[in-house]
């Protein structure tokens, strides 16, 4: 239990946005992907993450950031599209609503909350645990929190973002408690939470976060962790399950997404800021990771933000 408390205490949870959406045309997105986490509360109809995993009214779908997942909204005459195709034509599938009356006038509707969850303010928590998307049965506490988060997001009262973040933190901890109580993904959590036990690895995570535009070769990382250059790659992969250069690229791309969504910097400047001196190479790697060009990422907040 103490180890789980340590994990929870390490988390920095930040509310990003909340929306309520009507599905006006059933759609299956074959490769939904976002760097941020999303929890979906089904208001009516169905949301599916596989042929057998179907969430209905009152149930929740949890989608960890950094996971490519097939997801379907509605189940009648469903059109299957890629993430890029969906973004190009998303208004024909989903319609944003702002009141509960219209929310229940369609066959499928849902409320989403998007958030960051960083361990030690540097590691995408749920992605690092390698937890797949999953469905939770109706959770009255979490559902109530989501409803309050959405209502706060609609208002203009001072402190609304602070309240939304506090409620999001509460909801996320309740979700994590559910995972622990039901012993879900026990092996993944046990295997991939090893970095909480080694302060040298935390030093590497923080160094990478603070130096994305700089040289992050294994030689540099070895000096940070005070291990040999030959061993640092093996050491990092043993504790995290991935090699350090793959982790670095993910962190660079995650930062690039943040800059694309929150700044007016050019794609060239953003690529350089996250460590890519060759803009064309940055754009190729970005498209390979997210399935859409960097310019299209700039024109949207997320799949859930219509």
């Amino acid at each position: 239990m103490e180890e789980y408390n340590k994990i929870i205490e390490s988390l920095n949870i930040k509310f990003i946005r909340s929306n309520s959406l009507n599905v006006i045309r059933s759609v299956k997105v074959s490769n939904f992907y976002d760097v941020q986490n999303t929890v979906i509360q089904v208001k009516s109809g169905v949301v599916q993450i596989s042929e057998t995993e179907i969430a209905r009214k009152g149930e929740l779908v949890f989608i960890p950031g950094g996971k490519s997942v097939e997801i379907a909204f509605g189940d009648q005459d469903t059109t299957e599209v890629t993430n890029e195709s969906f973004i190009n034509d998303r208004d024909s599938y989903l319609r944003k609503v702002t009141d509960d009356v219209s929310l229940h006038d369609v066959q499928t509707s849902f409320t989403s909350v998007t958030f960051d969850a960083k361990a030690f303010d540097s590691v995408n928590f749920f992605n690092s645990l390698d937890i797949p998307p999953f469905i939770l049965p109706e959770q009255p506490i979490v559902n109530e929190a989501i409803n309050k988060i959405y209502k706060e997001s609609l208002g203009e009262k001072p402190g609304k973002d602070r309240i939304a973040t506090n409620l999001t933190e509460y909801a996320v901890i309740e979700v994590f408690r559910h995972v622990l109580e039901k012993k879900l993904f026990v092996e993944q959590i046990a295997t991939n939470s090893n970095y909480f036990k080694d302060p040298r690895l935390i030093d590497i995570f923080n160094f990478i976060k603070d130096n994305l535009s700089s040289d992050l070769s294994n030689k540099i990382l070895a000096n940070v962790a005070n291990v040999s250059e030959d061993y640092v790659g093996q050491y990092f992969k043993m504790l995290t399950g991935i090699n350090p250069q793959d982790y670095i690229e993910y962190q660079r791309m995650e930062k690039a997404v943040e800059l694309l969504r929150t700044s007016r910097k050019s794609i060239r400047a953003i690529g350089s800021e996250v460590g890519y001196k060759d803009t064309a190479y940055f754009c190729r790697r970005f498209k390979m990771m997210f399935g859409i060009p960097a310019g299209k990422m700039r024109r949207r907040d997320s799949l859930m933000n219509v």
Side-chain angles (χ1 to χ4, degrees), residues 249-265:
E249 179 169 55
Y250 177 80
Q251 293 300 308
R252 283 174 163 158
M253 290 300 181
E254 186 178 47
K255 182 63 176 181
V257 169
E258 178 187 337
L259 291 170
L260 285 164
R261 290 175 173 172
T262 61
S263 79
R264 295 187 177 184
K265 295 179 181 179

Side-chain angles (χ1 to χ4, degrees), residues 23-267:
V23 179
I24 56 177
R25 180 181 169 198
S26 294
V27 61
K28 178 190 290 183
V29 185
S30 60
N31 59 336
F32 166 69
Y33 189 102
D34 199 359
V35 297
Q36 292 159 337
N37 310 280
T38 300
V39 60
I40 295 171
Q41 178 195 63
V42 182
K43 295 288 191 179
S44 62
V46 300
V47 176
Q48 299 180 238
I49 54 175
S50 74
E51 292 298 323
T52 58
E53 294 184 273
I54 303 172
R56 294 180 169 83
K57 182 178 179 180
E59 296 182 319
L60 304 169
V61 180
F62 188 88
I63 306 176
K67 290 284 184 183
S68 179
V69 58
E70 179 181 279
I71 186 166
F73 303 97
D75 59 356
Q76 295 188 349
D77 301 321
T78 304
T79 301
E80 183 168 354
V81 298
T82 65
N83 203 30
E84 182 174 6
S85 297
F86 176 85
I87 291 166
N88 288 337
D89 198 26
R90 61 187 175 179
D91 291 345
S92 69
Y93 301 109
L94 303 179
R95 183 179 61 206
K96 191 172 182 178
V97 296
T98 56
D99 62 272
D100 288 339
V101 175
S102 58
L103 190 65
H104 295 289
D105 286 343
V106 294
Q107 290 184 329
T108 297
S109 57
F110 62 91
T111 298
S112 67
V113 174
T114 302
F115 63 95
D116 275 332
K118 297 289 183 71
F120 305 104
D121 201 29
S122 59
V123 184
N124 188 322
F125 176 65
F126 290 103
N127 177 269
S128 71
L129 295 184
D130 199 29
I131 292 178
F134 61 94
I135 291 173
L136 290 84
E138 187 165 355
Q139 302 283 314
I141 293 176
V142 179
N143 282 344
E144 182 180 1
I146 289 173
N147 291 335
K148 289 181 178 179
I149 291 166
Y150 176 60
K151 287 180 180 178
E152 282 293 331
S153 73
L154 292 178
E156 295 297 333
K157 292 182 179 180
K160 68 172 189 174
D161 288 342
R162 181 67 178 270
I163 289 177
T165 288
N166 289 342
L167 289 167
T168 301
E169 184 176 64
Y170 178 60
V172 171
I173 291 173
E174 285 293 336
V175 169
F176 191 55
R177 284 176 172 176
H178 173 82
V179 168
L180 296 178
E181 288 169 3
K182 299 301 180 181
K183 295 181 170 55
L184 303 176
F185 322 117
V186 172
E187 185 176 341
Q188 291 100 313
I189 294 174
T191 301
N192 295 298
S193 63
N194 287 329
Y195 57 81
F196 289 97
K197 305 170 186 175
D198 195 325
R200 294 176 300 173
L201 190 59
I202 304 306
D203 289 342
I204 292 179
F205 286 147
N206 288 327
F207 183 84
I208 290 170
K209 181 190 71 171
D210 294 337
N211 295 277
L212 289 176
S213 64
S214 305
D215 177 12
L216 291 173
S217 64
N218 281 6
K219 181 178 180 179
I220 299 295
L221 300 184
N223 289 334
V224 173
N226 196 26
V227 298
S228 72
E229 182 181 352
D230 291 337
Y231 177 64
V232 70
Q234 177 185 343
Y235 160 78
F236 191 95
K237 187 169 184 178
M238 177 177 66
L239 292 179
T240 67
I242 60 174
N243 71 60
Q245 295 309 313
D246 285 345
Y247 173 82
I248 289 165
E249 179 169 55
Y250 177 80
Q251 293 300 308
R252 283 174 163 158
M253 290 300 181
E254 186 178 47
K255 182 63 176 181
V257 169
E258 178 187 337
L259 291 170
L260 285 164
R261 290 175 173 172
T262 61
S263 79
R264 295 187 177 184
K265 295 179 181 179
S266 69
I267 291 175

